[in-house]
Amino acid sequence: MIGEVFSYVPAAFLLTGFLLGVRKDRRRFANAVWLGLTVVALAMALGVTQLRHPESTAAEVVEVLVLLAPALGAVLLAGLLIANGVVMVRKEGRRLGNLLSLLAGLALVAVIALAVAAVLHGDRALHIAAALALLLVCYFSFLFACFAGYAYLYGRLRPRDDCDFVVVLGSGLVGGDRVPPLLAGRLGKGAALWRGMAPPQGRPALMIASGGQGPGEEVAEADAMGDWLVGHGVPADRVLREDRSRSTRENLRFSGALMESVRPGARCVVVTNNFHAFRAAILARTEGVDGQVTGSPTALYYWPSAMIREFAAVLAMRRTPHLAVITALCLLAAAAWLA
């Protein structure tokens, strides 16, 4: 009994770290990792508890899941990613960003095939290559699960209604000067939040349309967005336009500077799409913007590729530790080959 209780100590420790991190700042990627480790530790503790009673049906279920779930889950995930990739190509075209789920599914199939080949053939080099590929897949799959899970939870937070600003991030125009449906969704949610704002000291809330002029665009995104907001009932004197930014980081940096010049120390809500909200929140934190990020809905088929793209961008922001892990695993594989 005491041993079973102690098996839950790591999960309790990790959960405490997660809660402390969330209390300090909800916009940290470390929170996602703490949460993922907590779930893994809890699952292991539950497994240990069940395996201490091998005669129980639950223990038999745990054993079957441990043996079959990784393999079946990998095959199922690969199939879903490939199917989603085909849908993305049909609906959105063959740009690289739309091919990510398809490429991820094909890469997973390749790793599965490599593992099967290693099992069927006794070649030592093949065994080492398969083990290295599986370790890399496990590492990045774990981080992606952490990212996606916490991003979902972060997106469920209710936006604050006591802010001075609602900032809407741009996302490109169609025809050089028109707001596309994706961006219109952001603007509509931003306008709805603005109407419900009750800033301190009774002063009216302001909206910031943030986006510069990109290649092939006839006007700055901020101008097209501002015109859309005015056309949908937001008074023109309540709309500010930030028209210099060319990336999400610049959206937040320049909007932050604009807010500081108008109302120093003000808080804001930033609006983007739901798949983009957590990365935007991380960037807002690094840029010193005091604001929560919320997302407008996105078509379900668009979500997998978009989340993979967001995940890759977050990893690139802090690439050093991940490169260190990859290097360590490759050196381990080389040592195994030379041993």
Side-chain angles (χ1 to χ4, degrees):
M1 180 64 181
I2 295 178
E4 293 181 6
V5 172
F6 273 107
S7 65
Y8 289 89
V9 170
F13 171 78
L14 292 167
L15 179 60
T16 301
F18 167 70
L19 294 175
L20 290 175
V22 170
R23 181 177 180 182
K24 183 178 181 180
D25 195 322
R26 297 171 176 174
R27 304 169 297 174
R28 301 164 67 236
F29 182 67
N31 295 339
V33 177
W34 278 106
L35 179 60
L37 291 173
T38 301
V39 173
V40 170
L42 182 60
M44 292 176 64
L46 290 171
V48 169
T49 299
Q50 295 301 326
L51 292 175
R52 287 178 182 274
H53 307 282
E55 72 285 352
S56 68
T57 303
E60 295 177 357
V61 172
V62 169
E63 291 176 358
V64 171
L65 289 177
V66 169
L67 292 173
L68 297 181
L72 294 178
V75 173
L76 179 61
L77 179 60
L80 291 174
L81 287 171
I82 292 172
N84 176 255
V86 173
V87 172
M88 280 291 294
V89 170
R90 289 176 177 173
K91 290 182 175 289
E92 303 291 338
R94 297 183 180 180
R95 293 180 301 166
L96 178 59
N98 299 332
L99 297 173
L100 291 179
S101 60
L102 177 61
L103 294 175
L106 293 175
L108 193 52
V109 168
V111 172
I112 294 171
L114 181 62
V116 171
V119 171
L120 296 178
H121 302 282
D123 185 76
R124 183 162 169 266
L126 197 59
H127 286 168
I128 293 174
L132 175 61
L134 288 172
L135 286 173
L136 289 172
V137 166
C138 289
Y139 175 71
F140 286 107
S141 296
F142 170 73
L143 290 180
F144 180 77
C146 294
F147 174 79
Y150 188 76
Y152 176 82
L153 293 176
Y154 183 87
R156 305 279 77 74
L157 295 175
R158 183 178 179 180
R160 302 182 61 147
D161 59 2
D162 59 347
C163 298
D164 290 278
F165 293 93
V166 176
V167 182
V168 183
L169 306 185
S171 66
L173 305 176
V174 294
D177 60 353
R178 299 194 310 276
V179 171
L182 190 76
L183 183 53
R186 298 184 185 186
L187 291 166
K189 180 160 187 175
L193 290 174
W194 171 82
R195 293 186 180 95
M197 282 294 165
Q201 302 177 6
R203 52 194 178 189
L206 301 174
M207 293 198 70
I208 296 180
S210 179
Q213 185 172 350
E217 294 179 343
E218 299 174 6
V219 298
E221 293 170 13
D223 289 330
M225 294 163 66
D227 292 344
W228 190 99
L229 289 169
V230 172
H232 286 76
V234 181
D237 61 349
R238 297 286 187 269
V239 179
L240 304 180
R241 308 185 185 207
E242 181 288 296
D243 59 4
R244 296 185 296 154
S245 55
R246 303 291 293 273
S247 66
T248 301
R249 186 180 293 275
E250 290 186 353
N251 283 142
L252 295 162
R253 179 181 300 164
F254 297 151
S255 295
L258 179 58
M259 288 186 285
E260 192 65 21
S261 67
V262 176
R263 295 179 184 175
R267 292 179 298 198
C268 68
V269 171
V270 180
V271 181
T272 182
N273 283 91
N274 51 10
F275 63 81
H276 187 230
F278 185 40
R279 180 164 74 93
I282 295 173
L283 289 171
R285 177 174 177 268
T286 61
E287 292 299 325
V289 175
D290 184 8
Q292 177 187 344
V293 182
T294 189
S296 61
T298 309
L300 185 60
Y301 75 86
Y302 195 85
W303 191 88
S305 285
M307 285 300 293
I308 293 172
R309 183 174 66 246
E310 295 295 303
F311 173 65
V314 168
L315 291 189
M317 291 166 58
R318 297 289 186 271
R319 64 179 67 90
T320 302
H322 309 299
L323 290 175
V325 170
I326 295 172
T327 302
L329 291 176
C330 290
L331 290 175
L332 183 64
W337 168 254
L338 295 173

PDB file of all heavy atoms in Angstrom, residues 69-89:
ATOM      1  N   ALA A  69      -0.730  -0.359 -27.840  1.00  0.00           N
ATOM      2  CA  ALA A  69      -1.123   1.033 -28.107  1.00  0.00           C
ATOM      3  C   ALA A  69      -0.085   1.808 -28.912  1.00  0.00           C
ATOM      4  O   ALA A  69      -0.454   2.520 -29.865  1.00  0.00           O
ATOM      5  CB  ALA A  69      -1.425   1.748 -26.791  1.00  0.00           C
ATOM      6  N   PRO A  70       1.219   1.738 -28.589  1.00  0.00           N
ATOM      7  CA  PRO A  70       2.187   2.530 -29.369  1.00  0.00           C
ATOM      8  C   PRO A  70       2.179   2.169 -30.852  1.00  0.00           C
ATOM      9  O   PRO A  70       2.151   3.060 -31.715  1.00  0.00           O
ATOM     10  CB  PRO A  70       3.531   2.192 -28.702  1.00  0.00           C
ATOM     11  CG  PRO A  70       3.183   1.782 -27.318  1.00  0.00           C
ATOM     12  CD  PRO A  70       1.878   1.070 -27.436  1.00  0.00           C
ATOM     13  N   ALA A  71       2.193   0.861 -31.158  1.00  0.00           N
ATOM     14  CA  ALA A  71       2.242   0.445 -32.557  1.00  0.00           C
ATOM     15  C   ALA A  71       0.952   0.805 -33.288  1.00  0.00           C
ATOM     16  O   ALA A  71       0.979   1.404 -34.374  1.00  0.00           O
ATOM     17  CB  ALA A  71       2.500  -1.058 -32.644  1.00  0.00           C
ATOM     18  N   LEU A  72      -0.191   0.438 -32.699  1.00  0.00           N
ATOM     19  CA  LEU A  72      -1.469   0.745 -33.348  1.00  0.00           C
ATOM     20  C   LEU A  72      -1.701   2.240 -33.441  1.00  0.00           C
ATOM     21  O   LEU A  72      -2.204   2.745 -34.447  1.00  0.00           O
ATOM     22  CB  LEU A  72      -2.612   0.077 -32.571  1.00  0.00           C
ATOM     23  CG  LEU A  72      -2.629  -1.455 -32.584  1.00  0.00           C
ATOM     24  CD1 LEU A  72      -3.791  -1.981 -31.746  1.00  0.00           C
ATOM     25  CD2 LEU A  72      -2.721  -1.983 -34.007  1.00  0.00           C
ATOM     26  N   GLY A  73      -1.302   2.972 -32.391  1.00  0.00           N
ATOM     27  CA  GLY A  73      -1.464   4.423 -32.414  1.00  0.00           C
ATOM     28  C   GLY A  73      -0.634   5.068 -33.503  1.00  0.00           C
ATOM     29  O   GLY A  73      -1.094   6.001 -34.181  1.00  0.00           O
ATOM     30  N   ALA A  74       0.590   4.570 -33.708  1.00  0.00           N
ATOM     31  CA  ALA A  74       1.447   5.134 -34.748  1.00  0.00           C
ATOM     32  C   ALA A  74       0.864   4.902 -36.136  1.00  0.00           C
ATOM     33  O   ALA A  74       0.857   5.808 -36.986  1.00  0.00           O
ATOM     34  CB  ALA A  74       2.844   4.527 -34.646  1.00  0.00           C
ATOM     35  N   VAL A  75       0.369   3.686 -36.366  1.00  0.00           N
ATOM     36  CA  VAL A  75      -0.227   3.374 -37.672  1.00  0.00           C
ATOM     37  C   VAL A  75      -1.481   4.218 -37.911  1.00  0.00           C
ATOM     38  O   VAL A  75      -1.674   4.787 -38.997  1.00  0.00           O
ATOM     39  CB  VAL A  75      -0.568   1.868 -37.754  1.00  0.00           C
ATOM     40  CG1 VAL A  75      -1.352   1.576 -39.032  1.00  0.00           C
ATOM     41  CG2 VAL A  75       0.703   1.035 -37.708  1.00  0.00           C
ATOM     42  N   LEU A  76      -2.332   4.325 -36.889  1.00  0.00           N
ATOM     43  CA  LEU A  76      -3.558   5.120 -37.023  1.00  0.00           C
ATOM     44  C   LEU A  76      -3.236   6.592 -37.254  1.00  0.00           C
ATOM     45  O   LEU A  76      -3.832   7.242 -38.117  1.00  0.00           O
ATOM     46  CB  LEU A  76      -4.413   4.952 -35.772  1.00  0.00           C
ATOM     47  CG  LEU A  76      -5.727   5.746 -35.734  1.00  0.00           C
ATOM     48  CD1 LEU A  76      -6.641   5.326 -36.872  1.00  0.00           C
ATOM     49  CD2 LEU A  76      -6.428   5.557 -34.391  1.00  0.00           C
ATOM     50  N   LEU A  77      -2.264   7.112 -36.501  1.00  0.00           N
ATOM     51  CA  LEU A  77      -1.891   8.517 -36.655  1.00  0.00           C
ATOM     52  C   LEU A  77      -1.340   8.786 -38.045  1.00  0.00           C
ATOM     53  O   LEU A  77      -1.665   9.817 -38.660  1.00  0.00           O
ATOM     54  CB  LEU A  77      -0.864   8.893 -35.587  1.00  0.00           C
ATOM     55  CG  LEU A  77      -0.343  10.334 -35.624  1.00  0.00           C
ATOM     56  CD1 LEU A  77      -1.488  11.321 -35.441  1.00  0.00           C
ATOM     57  CD2 LEU A  77       0.724  10.544 -34.555  1.00  0.00           C
ATOM     58  N   ALA A  78      -0.500   7.897 -38.541  1.00  0.00           N
ATOM     59  CA  ALA A  78       0.052   8.078 -39.886  1.00  0.00           C
ATOM     60  C   ALA A  78      -1.068   8.141 -40.924  1.00  0.00           C
ATOM     61  O   ALA A  78      -1.062   8.994 -41.820  1.00  0.00           O
ATOM     62  CB  ALA A  78       1.029   6.948 -40.206  1.00  0.00           C
ATOM     63  N   GLY A  79      -2.046   7.236 -40.796  1.00  0.00           N
ATOM     64  CA  GLY A  79      -3.166   7.239 -41.737  1.00  0.00           C
ATOM     65  C   GLY A  79      -3.980   8.519 -41.675  1.00  0.00           C
ATOM     66  O   GLY A  79      -4.354   9.075 -42.710  1.00  0.00           O
ATOM     67  N   LEU A  80      -4.250   8.996 -40.467  1.00  0.00           N
ATOM     68  CA  LEU A  80      -5.026  10.227 -40.311  1.00  0.00           C
ATOM     69  C   LEU A  80      -4.278  11.425 -40.867  1.00  0.00           C
ATOM     70  O   LEU A  80      -4.874  12.311 -41.508  1.00  0.00           O
ATOM     71  CB  LEU A  80      -5.347  10.440 -38.832  1.00  0.00           C
ATOM     72  CG  LEU A  80      -6.341   9.443 -38.207  1.00  0.00           C
ATOM     73  CD1 LEU A  80      -6.456   9.697 -36.703  1.00  0.00           C
ATOM     74  CD2 LEU A  80      -7.706   9.549 -38.871  1.00  0.00           C
ATOM     75  N   LEU A  81      -2.964  11.489 -40.631  1.00  0.00           N
ATOM     76  CA  LEU A  81      -2.174  12.612 -41.139  1.00  0.00           C
ATOM     77  C   LEU A  81      -2.146  12.623 -42.665  1.00  0.00           C
ATOM     78  O   LEU A  81      -2.279  13.681 -43.291  1.00  0.00           O
ATOM     79  CB  LEU A  81      -0.754  12.546 -40.586  1.00  0.00           C
ATOM     80  CG  LEU A  81      -0.581  12.916 -39.108  1.00  0.00           C
ATOM     81  CD1 LEU A  81       0.837  12.605 -38.640  1.00  0.00           C
ATOM     82  CD2 LEU A  81      -0.890  14.392 -38.876  1.00  0.00           C
ATOM     83  N   ILE A  82      -1.980  11.460 -43.262  1.00  0.00           N
ATOM     84  CA  ILE A  82      -1.954  11.391 -44.723  1.00  0.00           C
ATOM     85  C   ILE A  82      -3.312  11.773 -45.303  1.00  0.00           C
ATOM     86  O   ILE A  82      -3.399  12.538 -46.281  1.00  0.00           O
ATOM     87  CB  ILE A  82      -1.533   9.982 -45.176  1.00  0.00           C
ATOM     88  CG1 ILE A  82      -0.067   9.736 -44.818  1.00  0.00           C
ATOM     89  CG2 ILE A  82      -1.751   9.811 -46.678  1.00  0.00           C
ATOM     90  CD1 ILE A  82       0.395   8.317 -45.055  1.00  0.00           C
ATOM     91  N   ALA A  83      -4.386  11.274 -44.705  1.00  0.00           N
ATOM     92  CA  ALA A  83      -5.729  11.626 -45.186  1.00  0.00           C
ATOM     93  C   ALA A  83      -5.976  13.121 -45.065  1.00  0.00           C
ATOM     94  O   ALA A  83      -6.515  13.749 -45.983  1.00  0.00           O
ATOM     95  CB  ALA A  83      -6.786  10.842 -44.391  1.00  0.00           C
ATOM     96  N   ASN A  84      -5.578  13.708 -43.940  1.00  0.00           N
ATOM     97  CA  ASN A  84      -5.735  15.146 -43.768  1.00  0.00           C
ATOM     98  C   ASN A  84      -4.894  15.917 -44.779  1.00  0.00           C
ATOM     99  O   ASN A  84      -5.328  16.951 -45.304  1.00  0.00           O
ATOM    100  CB  ASN A  84      -5.348  15.545 -42.351  1.00  0.00           C
ATOM    101  CG  ASN A  84      -5.391  17.051 -42.144  1.00  0.00           C
ATOM    102  OD1 ASN A  84      -4.357  17.705 -42.092  1.00  0.00           O
ATOM    103  ND2 ASN A  84      -6.581  17.614 -42.025  1.00  0.00           N
ATOM    104  N   GLY A  85      -3.676  15.408 -45.055  1.00  0.00           N
ATOM    105  CA  GLY A  85      -2.827  16.079 -46.037  1.00  0.00           C
ATOM    106  C   GLY A  85      -3.455  16.115 -47.413  1.00  0.00           C
ATOM    107  O   GLY A  85      -3.359  17.120 -48.131  1.00  0.00           O
ATOM    108  N   VAL A  86      -4.117  15.027 -47.794  1.00  0.00           N
ATOM    109  CA  VAL A  86      -4.802  14.988 -49.087  1.00  0.00           C
ATOM    110  C   VAL A  86      -5.929  16.021 -49.126  1.00  0.00           C
ATOM    111  O   VAL A  86      -6.109  16.745 -50.118  1.00  0.00           O
ATOM    112  CB  VAL A  86      -5.345  13.572 -49.363  1.00  0.00           C
ATOM    113  CG1 VAL A  86      -6.211  13.561 -50.611  1.00  0.00           C
ATOM    114  CG2 VAL A  86      -4.192  12.581 -49.503  1.00  0.00           C
ATOM    115  N   VAL A  87      -6.686  16.118 -48.032  1.00  0.00           N
ATOM    116  CA  VAL A  87      -7.762  17.109 -47.957  1.00  0.00           C
ATOM    117  C   VAL A  87      -7.199  18.523 -48.052  1.00  0.00           C
ATOM    118  O   VAL A  87      -7.741  19.387 -48.756  1.00  0.00           O
ATOM    119  CB  VAL A  87      -8.568  16.929 -46.649  1.00  0.00           C
ATOM    120  CG1 VAL A  87      -9.567  18.068 -46.475  1.00  0.00           C
ATOM    121  CG2 VAL A  87      -9.290  15.597 -46.650  1.00  0.00           C
ATOM    122  N   MET A  88      -6.084  18.777 -47.361  1.00  0.00           N
ATOM    123  CA  MET A  88      -5.472  20.101 -47.385  1.00  0.00           C
ATOM    124  C   MET A  88      -5.043  20.484 -48.798  1.00  0.00           C
ATOM    125  O   MET A  88      -5.254  21.625 -49.243  1.00  0.00           O
ATOM    126  CB  MET A  88      -4.264  20.137 -46.452  1.00  0.00           C
ATOM    127  CG  MET A  88      -4.607  20.321 -44.997  1.00  0.00           C
ATOM    128  SD  MET A  88      -5.258  21.971 -44.640  1.00  0.00           S
ATOM    129  CE  MET A  88      -3.824  22.991 -44.965  1.00  0.00           C
ATOM    130  N   VAL A  89      -4.441  19.543 -49.519  1.00  0.00           N
ATOM    131  CA  VAL A  89      -3.998  19.838 -50.883  1.00  0.00           C
ATOM    132  C   VAL A  89      -5.192  20.148 -51.778  1.00  0.00           C
ATOM    133  O   VAL A  89      -5.156  21.082 -52.603  1.00  0.00           O
ATOM    134  CB  VAL A  89      -3.188  18.651 -51.443  1.00  0.00           C
ATOM    135  CG1 VAL A  89      -2.922  18.836 -52.934  1.00  0.00           C
ATOM    136  CG2 VAL A  89      -1.863  18.524 -50.688  1.00  0.00           C
TER     137      VAL A  89
END
